[in-house]
Amino acid sequence: MQREVERIREDIKELRIQGAKNVAKAAIGAMGLIARKSKAKSRDEFINELLVAADELASARPTEPMLRNALRALFADIKKSTGDVEELRRLVERNEVEYFRKVKENEEKIAEYGGREFSHSSVILTHCHSSSVVAILKRANELSNGISVICTETRPKLQGLITAKQLSSAGLKVTLIVDSAVSYFIRGVDSVVVGADAITGKGDLVNKVGTAGIAVIAHENGVNMYSAAETFKFDPLTLWGGIEEIEERSPEEIINPNKLKGVGIRNPAFDVTPARYLTAYITEMGVIPPQSLLNVVLRGGFESLY
Ligand code: RUB
């Protein structure tokens, strides 16, 4: 694998590139980079270079169907083409441009649907950092008289601080809390909105660990719980009984294990929120209850996923 691609993989693994959408864009960007730099003499050699890198990139974060969907779609197009190396090079480059365009278009639609949904809210709570949630909250703030956002810090890697900084510099009123303070503050919250790493065939949400607990707290207190997610996050493997793999990260992110000799430390990156705790997914196709999401995705045909 080329050095630049190795660096992209490391950046994804170490969360310097973070959030499902940024991870998928980085992988498609890496495919474009390989295509531009490849010195392959034959079709097979060219495709093989891409395949090796794609495998490495996909394994950097196992709970990322948006990344896998994007790569799968690219290889489906490559398979359909009978072109030589130059033609394939152009195909991969076109794919990169088109994917970035589509993702941006989806983000703008999600920001508009979500912004309108929250334009009458005054306090919204979010967890971790999702680029889709940030786009929605900025739009909601423009459409309303100003909203106030509560951000969890999001242990152990503190991605909530990214959200807090981005929203605060966009002029929103932001309050940072520790993850365990959600139930203390929930009564003053109008809605909760989080991102999504994966959506399953049952409409369940896979997102940053802690999301499922927040959903139960929101439910118990009659607070609406939304997830902002383009349909690219739907994982087709879950339709045939596949279970979304949950990435388990190094214990060192939590504490130096030498300081706690004899104590086991676990660090799952994500958890699963059952569909019944969710009010709706805010997607590029509209605000959709989790029970209807599968129908909407299928109506667009599987190709709409990729
Ligand atoms: C990030 C996270 C985000 C989703 C969606 O987890 O859970 O909510 O990835 O992000 P991590 P986006 O920090 O482990 O990547 O809306 O940007 O796709």
Side-chain angles (χ1 to χ4, degrees):
M1 204 180 14
Q2 292 177 1
R3 194 142 354 115
E4 286 105 320
V5 178
E6 261 170 50
R7 200 167 325 130
I8 294 171
R9 185 184 194 275
E10 264 322 284
D11 285 348
I12 292 174
K13 209 171 165 42
E14 296 308 320
L15 304 187
R16 288 186 288 273
I17 296 173
Q18 168 278 338
K21 192 192 299 170
N22 289 332
V23 166
K25 281 164 68 182
I28 289 301
M31 294 291 110
L33 192 77
I34 295 172
R36 278 186 287 282
K37 294 207 159 181
S38 174
K39 298 198 174 17
K41 300 267 180 300
S42 69
R43 244 183 87 85
D44 285 354
E45 199 187 332
F46 182 81
I47 296 172
N48 200 43
E49 270 179 37
L50 291 172
L51 275 172
V52 169
D55 270 356
E56 290 292 326
L57 290 162
S59 66
R61 303 280 327 255
T63 319
E64 296 297 2
M66 183 165 172
L67 158 78
R68 293 196 297 267
N69 287 341
L71 292 172
R72 208 179 299 129
L74 170 63
F75 286 103
D77 279 353
I78 290 176
K79 211 168 149 196
K80 276 187 229 146
S81 161
T82 51
D84 61 7
V85 172
E86 280 320 306
E87 215 168 307
L88 290 180
R89 203 190 306 274
R90 284 194 294 277
L91 183 155
V92 177
E93 285 181 330
R94 270 199 312 275
N95 176 75
E96 183 185 4
V97 172
E98 177 53 21
Y99 190 73
F100 275 62
R101 188 200 63 74
K102 186 75 189 143
V103 167
K104 185 163 184 291
E105 180 184 291
N106 286 350
E107 181 170 293
E108 284 164 4
K109 288 185 181 164
I110 288 172
E112 198 54 43
Y113 286 126
R116 277 191 238 156
E117 188 76 15
F118 299 132
S119 60
H120 300 294
S121 303
S122 45
V123 183
I124 296 186
L125 184 139
T126 188
H127 180 53
C128 195
H129 173 258
S130 147
S131 52
S132 320
V133 168
V134 168
I136 286 176
L137 294 178
K138 283 186 187 169
R139 187 70 188 126
N141 194 49
E142 285 165 9
L143 293 173
S144 67
N145 292 325
I147 55 168
S148 161
V149 180
I150 299 180
C151 298
T152 59
E153 59 173 354
T154 317
R155 281 273 293 151
K157 293 291 279 181
L158 305 181
Q159 294 94 323
L161 271 61
I162 309 172
T163 310
K165 281 184 196 151
Q166 289 181 350
L167 292 177
S168 168
S169 50
L172 281 80
K173 188 166 170 264
V174 178
T175 306
L176 185 75
I177 63 169
V178 295
D179 301 354
S180 44
V182 169
S183 72
Y184 182 87
F185 287 104
I186 198 75
R187 293 230 175 97
V189 168
D190 297 314
S191 296
V192 177
V193 59
V194 295
D197 286 277
I199 305 171
T200 74
K202 288 192 286 185
D204 295 348
L205 164 69
V206 182
N207 191 54
K208 175 54 54 193
V209 71
T211 300
I214 294 173
V216 174
I217 293 170
H219 187 258
E220 283 299 313
N221 287 278
V223 173
N224 285 334
M225 171 92 192
Y226 295 84
S227 168
E230 51 267 270
T231 53
F232 284 155
K233 308 264 177 84
F234 185 83
D235 190 344
L237 296 177
T238 62
L239 282 177
W240 293 282
I243 289 172
E244 195 64 47
E245 182 185 340
I246 301 292
E247 175 188 0
E248 179 118 11
R249 297 181 60 86
S250 161
E252 312 236 349
E253 287 184 349
I254 298 178
I255 193 167
N256 178 349
N258 294 329
K259 291 190 178 157
L260 275 180
K261 288 244 157 62
V263 176
I265 303 169
R266 301 282 307 271
N267 185 18
F270 305 102
D271 62 21
V272 183
T273 302
R276 67 179 182 279
Y277 291 114
L278 294 171
T279 308
Y281 284 102
I282 303 170
T283 77
E284 76 282 8
M285 298 192 198
V287 180
I288 300 168
Q291 296 76 6
S292 313
L293 193 95
L294 178 60
N295 277 337
V296 172
V297 170
L298 291 180
R299 218 174 40 215
F302 272 118
E303 278 168 23
S304 71
L305 280 181
Y306 315 134

